[in-house]
Amino acid sequence: MSRCTTVSRGFDEPVSGTAATATTWLLLEQPGPWGAKALTSSHLDPVLGRALEAAADGTGVRIALIRRPGRHADPGTPPLRHVYAAHTVPGRIWLQSATTRDPHRLLDLDFAALGAGDHRSFGTALGGRPHDGDPLALVCTNGKRDRCCALLGRPLAAELAASGVEGVWEVTHLGGHRFAPTVLVLPYGYAYGRAEAHTVKEALHHARDGRVLVEGCRGSTAWERPGQAAELAVRSMTDEYAAGVLSVVRTVGSAPRWEVTVAHADGRGWRVTVAQAAGLPPRPESCGAAVLGTPGRMDVVEIRELRTTTLAS
């Protein structure tokens, strides 16, 4: 039986505009096996997992579990866990790191403030500080959600770690199983699909230099899907690869058509028309799907550069 990634590749399904949406990512180290809903089906206290889900709901914060690449037999409770928080909205991009012996301390975080880009509670609750290491590469490997993530993601994470790439973690869920291996690069929050080791290395190299790799990019998780597609299209058209200089400042419309305004930090702006089309013929959107679907794709129809006065109106 064909895997969902094989079918997606066969139809040459575009990856642009397919990233998950989160203004802020909160990552907690949790070794051992993960279930389909890892916050409540792993070796993390499920009561804590449910409380964290409730605390993050509606705040723009997306919580995921991470672990080092490798074998995942039960190692017991880790004495010290890594915790990361990253805000991905341009103008206020940051990545903070901390360690904790008690993951219940995450409940002391101000989730609404984190989602809005305020990291102060991360420092107060966990002693967090600005991350001074390499950018992070989070590879989705949770086979309990979709077997493609394990079959394709785990070898990629292992290859990256074995080749000495710093900042590589396995992560529970990034969405878009059919684009596996899927990878999220922090601090800037750009997601990649059908990733290969050389692509991830190049994306990390770009991130170290404050730049964005557009090839294979699904979009910035700071924006909704039409905005992701619009921003990437502007980058490609203008050869603008500096991170943090483009913002989606306005989205007007609803499915299947939007007018997205993308602004540059230097004052330039563009109006991007994005249309949603159904992915035909019907296909499995994940390996576990019992019903065939027609996943929506984001097609950029037109890009118009705006005058500064138009952008401000």
Side-chain angles (χ1 to χ4, degrees):
M1 181 178 179
S2 295
R3 300 196 299 266
C4 64
T5 54
T6 305
V7 175
S8 178
R9 284 180 183 270
F11 287 129
D12 197 23
E13 184 180 358
V15 301
S16 175
T18 66
T21 299
T23 56
T24 301
W25 289 84
L26 180 62
L27 310 168
L28 171 64
E29 184 178 5
Q30 177 58 59
W34 296 332
K37 296 183 178 180
L39 279 178
T40 54
S41 56
S42 67
H43 290 176
L44 183 70
D45 177 2
V47 174
L48 171 60
R50 284 190 290 271
L52 289 171
E53 286 178 335
D57 186 39
T59 65
V61 177
R62 188 177 177 114
I63 306 173
L65 303 182
I66 57 174
R67 65 191 178 195
R68 295 293 189 185
R71 298 184 62 186
H72 301 120
D74 183 6
T77 301
L80 200 62
R81 302 169 190 255
H82 289 80
V83 187
Y84 297 97
H87 188 66
T88 62
V89 179
R92 211 174 193 178
I93 293 172
W94 47 258
L95 173 60
Q96 300 250 327
S97 61
T99 55
T100 185
R101 298 181 185 277
D102 181 9
H104 290 81
R105 292 176 62 188
L106 271 67
L107 293 175
D108 295 330
L109 294 170
D110 185 335
F111 282 85
L114 282 176
D118 183 346
H119 56 69
R120 286 177 294 182
S121 71
F122 192 77
T124 302
L126 297 168
R129 297 178 177 274
H131 178 66
D132 58 4
D134 287 327
L136 304 183
L138 310 172
V139 184
C140 187
T141 63
N142 191 354
K144 293 297 183 180
R145 290 197 70 98
D146 191 284
R147 60 176 178 161
C148 284
C149 294
L151 291 172
L152 301 174
R154 290 192 64 188
L156 173 62
E159 180 181 353
L160 291 168
S163 64
V165 177
E166 299 292 335
V168 178
W169 293 87
E170 298 187 8
V171 68
T172 48
H173 185 46
L174 297 177
H177 317 294
R178 63 192 184 278
F179 302 117
T182 61
V183 179
L184 176 68
V185 175
L186 295 174
Y188 299 112
Y190 285 86
Y192 295 84
R194 304 185 186 124
E196 299 180 2
H198 68 87
T199 305
V200 179
K201 292 177 182 178
E202 187 175 358
L204 289 170
H205 178 75
H206 277 59
R208 280 191 292 270
D209 292 339
R211 293 167 60 81
V212 177
L213 177 68
V214 171
E215 289 75 22
C217 190
R218 300 174 63 193
S220 165
T221 63
W223 318 124
E224 298 292 337
R225 291 183 60 195
Q228 295 172 11
E231 188 224 357
L232 288 176
V234 170
R235 286 192 177 279
S236 295
M237 185 187 76
T238 61
D239 293 326
E240 176 57 86
Y241 305 115
V245 299
L246 292 180
S247 295
V248 174
V249 297
R250 187 179 301 112
T251 300
V252 178
S254 58
R257 195 176 184 89
W258 299 265
E259 296 292 329
V260 181
T261 304
V262 178
H264 195 290
D266 64 11
R268 287 179 293 161
W270 298 265
R271 185 72 44 77
V272 184
T273 302
V274 180
Q276 181 176 350
L280 295 173
R283 79 287 302 272
E285 296 187 54
S286 67
C287 289
V291 179
L292 298 182
T294 53
R297 51 184 285 174
M298 296 291 138
D299 293 334
V300 172
V301 176
E302 183 181 17
I303 305 176
R304 305 185 302 279
E305 187 163 4
L306 302 174
R307 296 179 180 177
T308 305
T309 54
T310 307
L311 180 62
S313 62

